[in-house]
Coordinates of all heavy atoms in Angstrom, one line a residue:
M806 N 51.7 -25.6 -25.8 CA 50.3 -26.0 -26.2 C 49.4 -25.9 -24.9 O 49.8 -26.3 -23.8 CB 50.3 -27.5 -26.7 CG 49.0 -27.9 -27.2 SD 49.2 -29.5 -28.1 CE 47.5 -29.9 -28.2
L807 N 48.2 -25.4 -25.2 CA 47.3 -25.2 -24.1 C 46.5 -26.5 -23.8 O 46.1 -27.1 -24.8 CB 46.3 -24.1 -24.4 CG 46.8 -22.6 -24.5 CD1 45.8 -21.7 -25.1 CD2 47.3 -22.2 -23.2
T808 N 46.3 -26.8 -22.6 CA 45.4 -27.9 -22.3 C 44.0 -27.4 -22.3 O 43.7 -26.3 -22.4 CB 45.7 -28.4 -20.8 OG1 45.3 -27.4 -19.9 CG2 47.2 -28.8 -20.7
V809 N 43.0 -28.4 -22.2 CA 41.6 -28.0 -22.3 C 41.3 -27.0 -21.2 O 40.6 -26.0 -21.4 CB 40.7 -29.3 -22.2 CG1 39.3 -28.9 -22.0 CG2 40.9 -30.2 -23.4
T810 N 41.8 -27.3 -20.0 CA 41.6 -26.4 -18.8 C 42.1 -25.0 -19.1 O 41.5 -24.0 -18.8 CB 42.2 -27.0 -17.6 OG1 41.7 -28.3 -17.4 CG2 41.8 -26.2 -16.4
D811 N 43.3 -25.0 -19.7 CA 43.9 -23.7 -19.9 C 43.1 -22.8 -20.9 O 42.8 -21.7 -20.6 CB 45.3 -23.8 -20.6 CG 46.3 -24.4 -19.6 OD1 46.1 -24.3 -18.4 OD2 47.3 -25.0 -20.1
W812 N 42.7 -23.4 -22.0 CA 42.0 -22.5 -23.0 C 40.6 -22.1 -22.5 O 40.1 -21.1 -22.8 CB 42.0 -23.1 -24.4 CG 41.3 -24.3 -24.7 CD1 41.8 -25.6 -24.8 CD2 39.9 -24.5 -24.9 NE1 40.8 -26.5 -25.1 CE2 39.6 -25.8 -25.2 CE3 38.8 -23.6 -24.9 CZ2 38.3 -26.3 -25.5 CZ3 37.5 -24.0 -25.2 CH2 37.3 -25.4 -25.4
R813 N 40.0 -23.0 -21.8 CA 38.7 -22.7 -21.2 C 38.8 -21.5 -20.3 O 37.9 -20.7 -20.2 CB 38.0 -23.9 -20.6 CG 37.6 -24.8 -21.6 CD 36.7 -25.9 -21.1 NE 36.2 -26.7 -22.2 CZ 35.4 -27.7 -22.0 NH1 35.1 -28.2 -20.9 NH2 35.0 -28.4 -23.1
E814 N 39.9 -21.4 -19.6 CA 40.0 -20.3 -18.6 C 40.2 -19.0 -19.3 O 40.0 -17.9 -18.8 CB 41.2 -20.6 -17.7 CG 40.9 -21.6 -16.7 CD 42.1 -22.0 -15.8 OE1 43.2 -21.5 -16.1 OE2 41.9 -22.9 -15.0
L815 N 40.6 -19.0 -20.6 CA 40.9 -17.8 -21.4 C 39.7 -17.5 -22.3 O 39.8 -16.5 -23.1 CB 42.2 -18.0 -22.2 CG 43.4 -18.2 -21.4 CD1 44.6 -18.6 -22.4 CD2 43.8 -17.0 -20.7
S816 N 38.6 -18.3 -22.3 CA 37.6 -18.1 -23.2 C 36.8 -16.8 -23.0 O 36.6 -16.4 -21.9 CB 36.6 -19.3 -23.1 OG 35.9 -19.3 -21.9
A817 N 36.4 -16.2 -24.1 CA 35.6 -15.0 -24.1 C 34.2 -15.2 -23.6 O 33.5 -14.3 -23.2 CB 35.6 -14.3 -25.5
C818 N 33.8 -16.5 -23.7 CA 32.4 -16.8 -23.3 C 32.3 -17.2 -21.8 O 31.2 -17.5 -21.4 CB 31.8 -17.9 -24.2 SG 32.8 -19.4 -24.1
R819 N 33.4 -17.1 -21.1 CA 33.4 -17.7 -19.7 C 32.3 -17.1 -18.9 O 31.7 -17.8 -18.1 CB 34.8 -17.4 -19.1 CG 35.1 -18.2 -17.9 CD 36.4 -18.0 -17.4 NE 36.7 -16.5 -17.3 CZ 37.9 -16.0 -17.1 NH1 38.9 -16.8 -17.0 NH2 38.1 -14.7 -17.1
D820 N 32.0 -15.8 -19.0 CA 31.0 -15.1 -18.2 C 29.7 -14.8 -19.0 O 28.9 -14.0 -18.5 CB 31.6 -13.8 -17.6 CG 32.8 -14.1 -16.7 OD1 32.8 -15.2 -16.0 OD2 33.8 -13.4 -16.7
S821 N 29.6 -15.4 -20.1 CA 28.4 -15.1 -21.0 C 27.3 -16.1 -20.6 O 27.5 -17.1 -20.0 CB 28.7 -15.4 -22.4 OG 29.7 -14.5 -22.9
D822 N 26.1 -15.7 -21.0 CA 24.9 -16.5 -20.8 C 25.0 -17.7 -21.6 O 25.1 -17.7 -22.8 CB 23.7 -15.7 -21.2 CG 22.4 -16.5 -21.1 OD1 22.4 -17.6 -20.7 OD2 21.3 -15.9 -21.4
P823 N 25.1 -18.9 -21.0 CA 25.2 -20.2 -21.8 C 24.1 -20.4 -22.8 O 24.3 -21.1 -23.8 CB 25.3 -21.3 -20.7 CG 25.0 -20.6 -19.4 CD 25.0 -19.2 -19.6
D824 N 22.9 -19.8 -22.5 CA 21.8 -20.0 -23.4 C 22.1 -19.5 -24.8 O 21.5 -20.1 -25.8 CB 20.5 -19.3 -22.9 CG 19.9 -20.1 -21.7 OD1 20.4 -21.2 -21.4 OD2 19.0 -19.5 -21.0
I825 N 22.9 -18.5 -24.9 CA 23.1 -18.0 -26.3 C 24.0 -18.9 -27.1 O 24.0 -18.9 -28.3 CB 23.6 -16.5 -26.3 CG1 25.0 -16.4 -25.8 CG2 22.6 -15.6 -25.7 CD1 25.7 -15.0 -26.0
F826 N 24.8 -19.7 -26.4 CA 25.7 -20.6 -27.0 C 25.1 -22.0 -27.3 O 25.5 -22.7 -28.1 CB 27.0 -20.8 -26.2 CG 28.0 -19.6 -26.3 CD1 27.8 -18.5 -25.5 CD2 28.9 -19.6 -27.3 CE1 28.6 -17.4 -25.7 CE2 29.8 -18.5 -27.5 CZ 29.6 -17.4 -26.7
F827 N 24.0 -22.2 -26.6 CA 23.3 -23.5 -26.7 C 21.8 -23.2 -26.9 O 21.0 -23.6 -26.1 CB 23.5 -24.4 -25.5 CG 24.9 -24.9 -25.5 CD1 25.9 -24.2 -24.7 CD2 25.4 -26.0 -26.2 CE1 27.2 -24.6 -24.6 CE2 26.7 -26.4 -26.2 CZ 27.6 -25.7 -25.4
P828 N 21.4 -22.5 -28.0 CA 20.0 -22.1 -28.2 C 19.2 -23.3 -28.5 O 19.8 -24.3 -29.0 CB 20.1 -21.1 -29.3 CG 21.3 -21.5 -30.1 CD 22.3 -22.0 -29.0
V829 N 17.9 -23.2 -28.3 CA 17.0 -24.3 -28.7 C 16.6 -24.1 -30.1 O 15.9 -23.1 -30.4 CB 15.8 -24.4 -27.8 CG1 14.9 -25.5 -28.2 CG2 16.3 -24.6 -26.3
G830 N 17.0 -25.0 -31.0 CA 16.7 -24.8 -32.4 C 17.6 -23.9 -33.2 O 18.6 -23.4 -32.7
T831 N 17.2 -23.6 -34.4 CA 18.0 -22.7 -35.3 C 17.1 -21.6 -35.9 O 17.6 -20.9 -36.8 CB 18.7 -23.5 -36.4 OG1 17.7 -24.2 -37.1 CG2 19.7 -24.5 -35.8
T832 N 15.9 -21.5 -35.4 CA 15.0 -20.5 -36.0 C 14.5 -19.6 -34.9 O 14.7 -19.9 -33.7 CB 13.8 -21.1 -36.8 OG1 13.1 -21.9 -35.9 CG2 14.3 -21.9 -38.0
G833 N 13.8 -18.5 -35.2 CA 13.1 -17.7 -34.2 C 14.2 -17.0 -33.4 O 15.2 -16.5 -33.9
P834 N 14.0 -17.0 -32.0 CA 14.9 -16.3 -31.1 C 16.3 -16.9 -31.2 O 17.3 -16.2 -30.9 CB 14.3 -16.6 -29.7 CG 12.9 -17.0 -29.9 CD 12.8 -17.6 -31.3
A835 N 16.4 -18.2 -31.6 CA 17.7 -18.8 -31.7 C 18.7 -18.1 -32.7 O 19.9 -18.1 -32.5 CB 17.6 -20.3 -32.1
V836 N 18.1 -17.5 -33.7 CA 18.9 -16.8 -34.7 C 19.7 -15.7 -34.1 O 20.9 -15.6 -34.3 CB 18.0 -16.3 -35.9 CG1 18.8 -15.4 -36.8 CG2 17.3 -17.5 -36.6
D837 N 19.0 -14.9 -33.3 CA 19.7 -13.8 -32.6 C 20.7 -14.3 -31.6 O 21.8 -13.8 -31.4 CB 18.7 -12.9 -31.9 CG 19.2 -11.6 -31.5 OD1 20.0 -11.0 -32.3 OD2 19.0 -11.1 -30.4
Q838 N 20.4 -15.4 -30.9 CA 21.3 -16.0 -29.9 C 22.6 -16.5 -30.6 O 23.7 -16.2 -30.1 CB 20.6 -17.1 -29.1 CG 19.5 -16.6 -28.2 CD 18.7 -17.8 -27.6 OE1 18.3 -18.7 -28.3 NE2 18.6 -17.8 -26.3
I839 N 22.4 -17.2 -31.7 CA 23.5 -17.7 -32.4 C 24.4 -16.5 -32.9 O 25.6 -16.5 -32.8 CB 23.1 -18.6 -33.6 CG1 22.5 -19.9 -33.0 CG2 24.2 -18.9 -34.5 CD1 21.7 -20.7 -34.1
R840 N 23.7 -15.5 -33.4 CA 24.5 -14.3 -33.9 C 25.3 -13.7 -32.8 O 26.5 -13.3 -33.0 CB 23.5 -13.3 -34.5 CG 24.1 -12.1 -35.2 CD 23.1 -11.1 -35.6 NE 22.2 -10.6 -34.5 CZ 22.6 -9.8 -33.5 NH1 23.8 -9.3 -33.5 NH2 21.7 -9.5 -32.6
K841 N 24.7 -13.6 -31.6 CA 25.5 -13.0 -30.5 C 26.6 -13.9 -30.1 O 27.7 -13.4 -29.7 CB 24.5 -12.8 -29.3 CG 23.5 -11.7 -29.4 CD 22.6 -11.6 -28.2 CE 21.6 -10.5 -28.4 NZ 20.5 -10.5 -27.4
A842 N 26.4 -15.2 -30.1 CA 27.5 -16.1 -29.7 C 28.6 -16.0 -30.7 O 29.8 -16.0 -30.3 CB 26.9 -17.5 -29.6
V843 N 28.3 -16.0 -31.9 CA 29.4 -16.0 -33.0 C 30.2 -14.7 -32.8 O 31.4 -14.6 -33.0 CB 28.8 -16.1 -34.4 CG1 29.8 -15.8 -35.5 CG2 28.2 -17.6 -34.6
A844 N 29.5 -13.6 -32.5 CA 30.1 -12.3 -32.3 C 31.1 -12.4 -31.1 O 32.2 -11.8 -31.2 CB 29.1 -11.2 -32.1
I845 N 30.7 -13.0 -30.1 CA 31.6 -13.2 -28.9 C 32.8 -14.1 -29.3 O 34.0 -13.7 -29.0 CB 30.9 -13.8 -27.7 CG1 29.9 -12.8 -27.2 CG2 31.9 -14.2 -26.6 CD1 28.9 -13.4 -26.1
C846 N 32.6 -15.1 -30.1 CA 33.6 -16.0 -30.5 C 34.6 -15.2 -31.4 O 35.9 -15.5 -31.4 CB 33.1 -17.2 -31.3 SG 32.1 -18.3 -30.4
S847 N 34.2 -14.3 -32.2 CA 35.0 -13.6 -33.1 C 36.1 -12.9 -32.4 O 37.2 -12.6 -33.0 CB 34.2 -12.7 -34.1 OG 33.8 -11.6 -33.4
A848 N 35.9 -12.5 -31.2 CA 36.9 -11.8 -30.4 C 37.6 -12.6 -29.4 O 38.4 -12.1 -28.5 CB 36.2 -10.6 -29.7
C849 N 37.4 -13.9 -29.5 CA 38.0 -14.9 -28.5 C 39.4 -15.3 -28.9 O 39.7 -15.7 -30.0 CB 37.1 -16.1 -28.4 SG 37.6 -17.3 -27.2
S850 N 40.3 -15.2 -27.9 CA 41.7 -15.5 -28.2 C 42.0 -17.0 -28.3 O 43.1 -17.4 -28.7 CB 42.6 -14.9 -27.1 OG 42.3 -15.5 -25.8
V851 N 41.0 -17.8 -27.9 CA 41.2 -19.3 -27.9 C 40.2 -20.0 -28.9 O 39.9 -21.1 -28.7 CB 41.2 -19.9 -26.5 CG1 42.4 -19.5 -25.7 CG2 39.9 -19.6 -25.8
K852 N 39.8 -19.2 -29.9 CA 38.9 -19.7 -30.9 C 39.4 -21.0 -31.6 O 38.6 -21.9 -31.8 CB 38.7 -18.6 -31.9 CG 37.6 -18.8 -32.9 CD 37.4 -17.5 -33.7 CE 36.6 -17.8 -34.9 NZ 36.5 -16.6 -35.7
E853 N 40.7 -21.0 -32.0 CA 41.2 -22.2 -32.7 C 41.2 -23.4 -31.8 O 40.8 -24.5 -32.2 CB 42.6 -21.9 -33.2 CG 42.7 -20.9 -34.3 CD 41.8 -21.2 -35.5 OE1 41.8 -22.4 -35.9 OE2 41.1 -20.3 -36.0
E854 N 41.6 -23.2 -30.5 CA 41.7 -24.3 -29.6 C 40.2 -24.9 -29.3 O 40.0 -26.1 -29.3 CB 42.3 -23.9 -28.2 CG 43.8 -23.7 -28.3 CD 44.1 -22.3 -28.7 OE1 43.3 -21.5 -29.2 OE2 45.4 -21.9 -28.6
C855 N 39.3 -24.0 -29.2 CA 37.9 -24.3 -29.0 C 37.3 -25.1 -30.2 O 36.7 -26.2 -30.0 CB 37.1 -23.1 -28.7 SG 35.3 -23.3 -28.6
L856 N 37.6 -24.6 -31.4 CA 37.1 -25.3 -32.6 C 37.7 -26.7 -32.7 O 37.1 -27.7 -33.0 CB 37.4 -24.5 -33.8 CG 36.9 -25.1 -35.1 CD1 35.4 -25.4 -35.1 CD2 37.3 -24.2 -36.3
Q857 N 39.0 -26.8 -32.5 CA 39.7 -28.0 -32.6 C 39.1 -29.0 -31.6 O 38.9 -30.2 -31.9 CB 41.2 -27.8 -32.3 CG 42.1 -29.0 -32.6 CD 42.2 -29.4 -34.1 OE1 42.0 -28.5 -34.9 NE2 42.4 -30.6 -34.4
Y858 N 38.9 -28.6 -30.4 CA 38.3 -29.5 -29.3 C 36.9 -30.0 -29.8 O 36.6 -31.1 -29.7 CB 38.2 -28.7 -28.0 CG 37.5 -29.5 -26.9 CD1 38.2 -30.5 -26.2 CD2 36.1 -29.3 -26.7 CE1 37.5 -31.2 -25.2 CE2 35.5 -30.0 -25.7 CZ 36.2 -31.0 -25.0 OH 35.5 -31.7 -24.0
A859 N 36.1 -29.0 -30.3 CA 34.8 -29.4 -30.7 C 34.8 -30.4 -31.9 O 34.0 -31.3 -31.9 CB 34.0 -28.1 -31.2
L860 N 35.8 -30.3 -32.8 CA 35.9 -31.2 -33.9 C 36.4 -32.5 -33.4 O 35.8 -33.6 -33.8 CB 36.8 -30.6 -35.0 CG 36.4 -29.4 -35.7 CD1 37.5 -28.8 -36.6 CD2 35.1 -29.6 -36.5
E861 N 37.4 -32.5 -32.6 CA 37.9 -33.8 -32.1 C 37.0 -34.6 -31.2 O 37.0 -35.8 -31.2 CB 39.2 -33.5 -31.3 CG 40.4 -33.1 -32.2 CD 41.6 -32.7 -31.5 OE1 41.6 -32.7 -30.2 OE2 42.6 -32.4 -32.1
T862 N 36.1 -33.9 -30.5 CA 35.2 -34.6 -29.5 C 33.8 -34.6 -30.1 O 32.9 -35.0 -29.4 CB 35.2 -33.9 -28.2 OG1 34.8 -32.5 -28.3 CG2 36.6 -34.0 -27.5
N863 N 33.6 -34.2 -31.3 CA 32.3 -34.3 -32.0 C 31.2 -33.6 -31.2 O 30.2 -34.2 -31.0 CB 32.0 -35.7 -32.4 CG 30.9 -35.8 -33.4 OD1 30.6 -34.8 -34.1 ND2 30.2 -36.9 -33.5
Q864 N 31.5 -32.4 -30.8 CA 30.4 -31.6 -30.1 C 29.3 -31.3 -31.1 O 29.6 -30.6 -32.1 CB 31.0 -30.3 -29.5 CG 32.1 -30.6 -28.5 CD 31.6 -31.3 -27.2 OE1 30.5 -31.0 -26.8 NE2 32.3 -32.2 -26.7
E865 N 28.1 -31.8 -30.9 CA 27.1 -31.6 -31.9 C 26.2 -30.4 -31.6 O 25.6 -29.8 -32.5 CB 26.2 -32.9 -32.0 CG 27.0 -34.1 -32.5 CD 26.1 -35.3 -32.7 OE1 25.0 -35.3 -32.3 OE2 26.7 -36.3 -33.3
A866 N 26.1 -30.0 -30.3 CA 25.2 -29.0 -29.9 C 26.0 -27.7 -29.7 O 27.1 -27.7 -29.2 CB 24.4 -29.4 -28.7
G867 N 25.3 -26.6 -30.0 CA 25.9 -25.3 -29.6 C 26.8 -24.7 -30.6 O 27.2 -25.2 -31.6
V868 N 27.3 -23.5 -30.2 CA 28.3 -22.7 -30.9 C 29.7 -23.0 -30.3 O 29.8 -22.8 -29.1 CB 28.0 -21.2 -30.9 CG1 29.1 -20.4 -31.6 CG2 26.6 -20.9 -31.6
W869 N 30.6 -23.4 -31.1 CA 32.0 -23.7 -30.7 C 32.9 -23.0 -31.7 O 32.7 -23.2 -32.9 CB 32.3 -25.1 -30.6 CG 31.5 -25.9 -29.5 CD1 30.2 -26.3 -29.6 CD2 32.0 -26.4 -28.3 NE1 29.9 -27.0 -28.4 CE2 31.0 -27.0 -27.6 CE3 33.3 -26.3 -27.7 CZ2 31.2 -27.6 -26.4 CZ3 33.5 -26.9 -26.4 CH2 32.4 -27.5 -25.8
G870 N 33.9 -22.3 -31.2 CA 34.9 -21.8 -32.1 C 34.4 -20.9 -33.2 O 35.0 -20.8 -34.3
G871 N 33.2 -20.3 -33.0 CA 32.6 -19.4 -33.9 C 31.7 -20.1 -34.9 O 31.2 -19.4 -35.9
Y872 N 31.6 -21.4 -34.8 CA 30.8 -22.1 -35.7 C 29.5 -22.7 -35.1 O 29.5 -23.5 -34.2 CB 31.6 -23.3 -36.3 CG 32.6 -23.0 -37.3 CD1 33.8 -22.4 -36.9 CD2 32.3 -23.1 -38.7 CE1 34.8 -22.1 -37.9 CE2 33.3 -22.8 -39.6 CZ 34.5 -22.3 -39.2 OH 35.4 -21.9 -40.1
P873 N 28.3 -22.3 -35.6 CA 27.1 -22.9 -35.2 C 27.0 -24.3 -35.6 O 27.8 -24.8 -36.4 CB 26.0 -22.0 -36.0 CG 26.7 -20.8 -36.4 CD 28.1 -21.2 -36.6
E874 N 26.0 -25.0 -35.1 CA 25.9 -26.5 -35.4 C 26.0 -26.9 -36.8 O 26.8 -27.8 -37.2 CB 24.6 -27.0 -34.8 CG 24.6 -26.9 -33.3 CD 23.2 -27.2 -32.7 OE1 22.3 -27.7 -33.4 OE2 22.9 -26.9 -31.5
D875 N 25.2 -26.3 -37.7 CA 25.1 -26.7 -39.1 C 26.5 -26.5 -39.8 O 27.0 -27.3 -40.5 CB 24.0 -26.0 -39.8 CG 22.6 -26.5 -39.4 OD1 22.5 -27.5 -38.7 OD2 21.6 -25.8 -39.7
D876 N 27.0 -25.3 -39.5 CA 28.3 -24.9 -40.2 C 29.4 -25.9 -39.7 O 30.3 -26.3 -40.4 CB 28.7 -23.5 -39.8 CG 27.8 -22.5 -40.5 OD1 27.0 -22.9 -41.4 OD2 27.8 -21.3 -40.1
R877 N 29.4 -26.2 -38.4 CA 30.4 -27.0 -37.8 C 30.3 -28.5 -38.3 O 31.3 -29.1 -38.5 CB 30.4 -27.0 -36.3 CG 31.7 -27.4 -35.6 CD 31.7 -27.2 -34.1 NE 30.6 -27.9 -33.5 CZ 29.5 -27.3 -33.0 NH1 29.4 -26.0 -33.1 NH2 28.6 -28.0 -32.4
R878 N 29.1 -28.9 -38.5 CA 28.8 -30.2 -39.0 C 29.5 -30.4 -40.4 O 30.2 -31.4 -40.7 CB 27.3 -30.5 -39.1 CG 27.0 -32.0 -39.2 CD 25.5 -32.3 -39.0 NE 25.1 -31.8 -37.7 CZ 24.1 -30.9 -37.5 NH1 23.5 -30.4 -38.5 NH2 23.8 -30.6 -36.2
R879 N 29.3 -29.4 -41.3 CA 29.9 -29.4 -42.6 C 31.4 -29.3 -42.5 O 32.1 -30.0 -43.2 CB 29.3 -28.2 -43.5 CG 27.9 -28.5 -44.0 CD 27.6 -27.4 -45.0 NE 27.3 -26.1 -44.3 CZ 26.2 -25.7 -43.8 NH1 25.1 -26.5 -43.8 NH2 26.1 -24.5 -43.2
L880 N 31.9 -28.4 -41.6 CA 33.3 -28.3 -41.4 C 33.9 -29.6 -40.9 O 35.0 -30.1 -41.4 CB 33.6 -27.2 -40.4 CG 35.1 -27.0 -40.1 CD1 35.8 -26.5 -41.3 CD2 35.2 -25.9 -38.9
R881 N 33.2 -30.3 -40.0 CA 33.7 -31.6 -39.5 C 33.9 -32.7 -40.6 O 34.8 -33.4 -40.5 CB 32.9 -32.1 -38.3 CG 33.5 -33.2 -37.6 CD 32.9 -33.5 -36.2 NE 33.8 -34.4 -35.5 CZ 33.7 -35.7 -35.6 NH1 32.8 -36.3 -36.4 NH2 34.5 -36.5 -34.9
K882 N 32.9 -32.7 -41.5 CA 33.0 -33.7 -42.6 C 34.3 -33.4 -43.4 O 35.0 -34.4 -43.7 CB 31.8 -33.6 -43.5 CG 30.6 -34.2 -42.9 CD 29.4 -34.1 -43.9 CE 28.2 -34.7 -43.3 NZ 27.0 -34.5 -44.1
R883 N 34.6 -32.2 -43.7 CA 35.8 -31.9 -44.4 C 37.1 -32.2 -43.5 O 38.1 -32.7 -44.0 CB 35.8 -30.4 -44.8 CG 34.8 -30.0 -45.9 CD 35.1 -28.7 -46.5 NE 35.2 -27.6 -45.6 CZ 34.2 -26.8 -45.2 NH1 33.0 -27.0 -45.7 NH2 34.4 -25.8 -44.4
W884 N 37.0 -31.9 -42.2 CA 38.1 -32.1 -41.3 C 38.4 -33.6 -41.2 O 39.5 -34.0 -41.2 CB 37.7 -31.5 -39.9 CG 38.7 -31.7 -38.9 CD1 39.8 -31.0 -38.6 CD2 38.7 -32.7 -37.8 NE1 40.5 -31.4 -37.5 CE2 39.8 -32.5 -37.0 CE3 37.8 -33.7 -37.5 CZ2 40.1 -33.3 -35.9 CZ3 38.0 -34.5 -36.4 CH2 39.2 -34.3 -35.6
L885 N 37.3 -34.4 -41.1 CA 37.5 -35.9 -41.0 C 38.1 -36.4 -42.3 O 39.0 -37.3 -42.3 CB 36.2 -36.6 -40.8 CG 35.6 -36.5 -39.4 CD1 34.2 -37.0 -39.3 CD2 36.5 -37.2 -38.4
A886 N 37.6 -35.9 -43.5 CA 38.2 -36.4 -44.8 C 39.7 -36.0 -44.9 O 40.5 -36.8 -45.3 CB 37.4 -35.7 -45.9
E887 N 40.0 -34.8 -44.4 CA 41.4 -34.4 -44.5 C 42.3 -35.3 -43.5 O 43.4 -35.7 -43.9 CB 41.5 -32.9 -44.1 CG 42.9 -32.4 -44.0 CD 43.7 -32.4 -45.3 OE1 43.1 -32.5 -46.4 OE2 44.9 -32.3 -45.3
R888 N 41.7 -35.5 -42.4 CA 42.5 -36.4 -41.4 C 42.7 -37.8 -42.0 O 43.8 -38.3 -41.8 CB 41.7 -36.4 -40.1 CG 42.5 -37.1 -38.9 CD 41.8 -37.0 -37.6 NE 40.7 -37.8 -37.5 CZ 40.0 -38.1 -36.4 NH1 40.3 -37.5 -35.3 NH2 38.9 -38.9 -36.4
R889 N 41.7 -38.3 -42.6 CA 41.8 -39.7 -43.2 C 42.9 -39.6 -44.3 O 43.7 -40.5 -44.4 CB 40.5 -40.1 -43.9 CG 39.6 -40.9 -42.9 CD 38.5 -41.6 -43.7 NE 37.6 -40.7 -44.5 CZ 36.6 -40.0 -44.0 NH1 36.3 -40.2 -42.7 NH2 35.9 -39.2 -44.7
R890 N 42.8 -38.6 -45.1 CA 43.8 -38.4 -46.2 C 45.2 -38.4 -45.7 O 46.1 -39.0 -46.2 CB 43.5 -37.2 -47.1 CG 44.2 -37.1 -48.3 CD 44.2 -35.7 -48.9 NE 44.7 -34.6 -48.1 CZ 46.0 -34.4 -47.9 NH1 46.9 -35.2 -48.4 NH2 46.4 -33.5 -47.1
R891 N 45.4 -37.6 -44.6 CA 46.7 -37.5 -44.0 C 47.2 -38.8 -43.4 O 48.4 -39.2 -43.6 CB 46.8 -36.4 -42.9 CG 47.1 -35.0 -43.5 CD 47.3 -34.0 -42.4 NE 46.0 -33.3 -42.2 CZ 45.4 -33.2 -41.0 NH1 46.0 -33.7 -39.9 NH2 44.3 -32.6 -40.9
R892 N 46.3 -39.6 -42.8 CA 46.7 -40.9 -42.2 C 47.0 -41.9 -43.3 O 48.0 -42.7 -43.1 CB 45.5 -41.4 -41.3 CG 45.5 -40.7 -40.0 CD 44.4 -41.3 -39.1 NE 44.4 -40.6 -37.8 CZ 43.5 -40.6 -37.0 NH1 42.4 -41.4 -37.2 NH2 43.5 -40.0 -35.8
Q893 N 46.3 -41.8 -44.4 CA 46.6 -42.8 -45.5 C 47.9 -42.4 -46.2 O 48.6 -43.3 -46.6 CB 45.5 -42.7 -46.5 CG 44.2 -43.4 -46.0 CD 43.0 -43.2 -46.9 OE1 43.1 -42.4 -47.8 NE2 41.9 -43.9 -46.6
A894 N 48.3 -41.1 -46.2 CA 49.5 -40.7 -46.8 C 50.7 -41.0 -46.0 O 51.8 -41.1 -46.5 CB 49.4 -39.2 -47.1
S895 N 50.5 -41.2 -44.7 CA 51.7 -41.4 -43.8 C 52.0 -42.8 -43.6 O 51.3 -43.7 -44.0 CB 51.5 -40.7 -42.5 OG 50.4 -41.3 -41.8
Ligands
SF4_993 S1 35.5 -19.6 -29.4 FE1 33.5 -19.0 -28.7 S2 32.7 -20.8 -27.7 FE2 34.9 -21.1 -28.0 S3 35.8 -20.5 -26.0 FE3 35.8 -18.7 -27.4 S4 33.9 -17.6 -27.0 FE4 33.7 -19.6 -26.1

């Protein structure tokens, strides 16, 4: 299992402009920045680790694991519900 430090060292965005991963807003120029960030994520070998980290630590801003803020917020609601269901079942 990779530690946080390990997967970050393997990230495809390591040398990318951080502004495209943390655009201001979700309209106008941010649309293109988000699209570029998601494209970089799609080729990232640690996408799953990144997304898991973002869900576990409730990262609200930016693109993580290929998911922009709004998409990740919806995904996190489902992720939390599934986690609750698994804990109740065990
Ligand atoms: S999935 Fe995207 S945000 Fe996460 S480490 Fe990879 S390139 Fe960076």
Side-chain angles (χ1 to χ4, degrees):
M806 183 169 170
L807 293 172
T808 66
V809 172
T810 306
D811 291 338
W812 68 258
R813 286 191 172 175
E814 287 173 359
L815 299 170
S816 67
C818 59
R819 197 175 48 191
D820 299 322
S821 299
D822 177 359
D824 285 350
I825 68 170
F826 284 85
F827 294 94
V829 177
T831 55
T832 58
V836 173
D837 194 45
Q838 290 173 310
I839 292 168
R840 186 186 53 75
K841 287 178 181 170
V843 169
I845 292 170
C846 292
S847 72
C849 181
S850 64
V851 290
K852 190 174 164 181
E853 292 304 319
E854 288 86 349
C855 176
L856 179 59
Q857 190 68 25
Y858 175 80
L860 294 174
E861 287 175 356
T862 59
N863 196 17
Q864 298 295 320
E865 294 185 354
V868 175
W869 292 77
Y872 283 79
E874 294 170 12
D875 290 349
D876 293 346
R877 199 174 56 255
R878 198 170 299 121
R879 283 189 289 274
L880 178 65
R881 189 164 193 276
K882 282 183 183 170
R883 292 197 304 270
W884 179 81
L885 285 171
E887 176 63 19
R888 190 172 71 171
R889 267 194 305 275
R890 190 194 60 75
R891 270 188 268 125
R892 283 184 178 165
Q893 287 169 353
S895 62

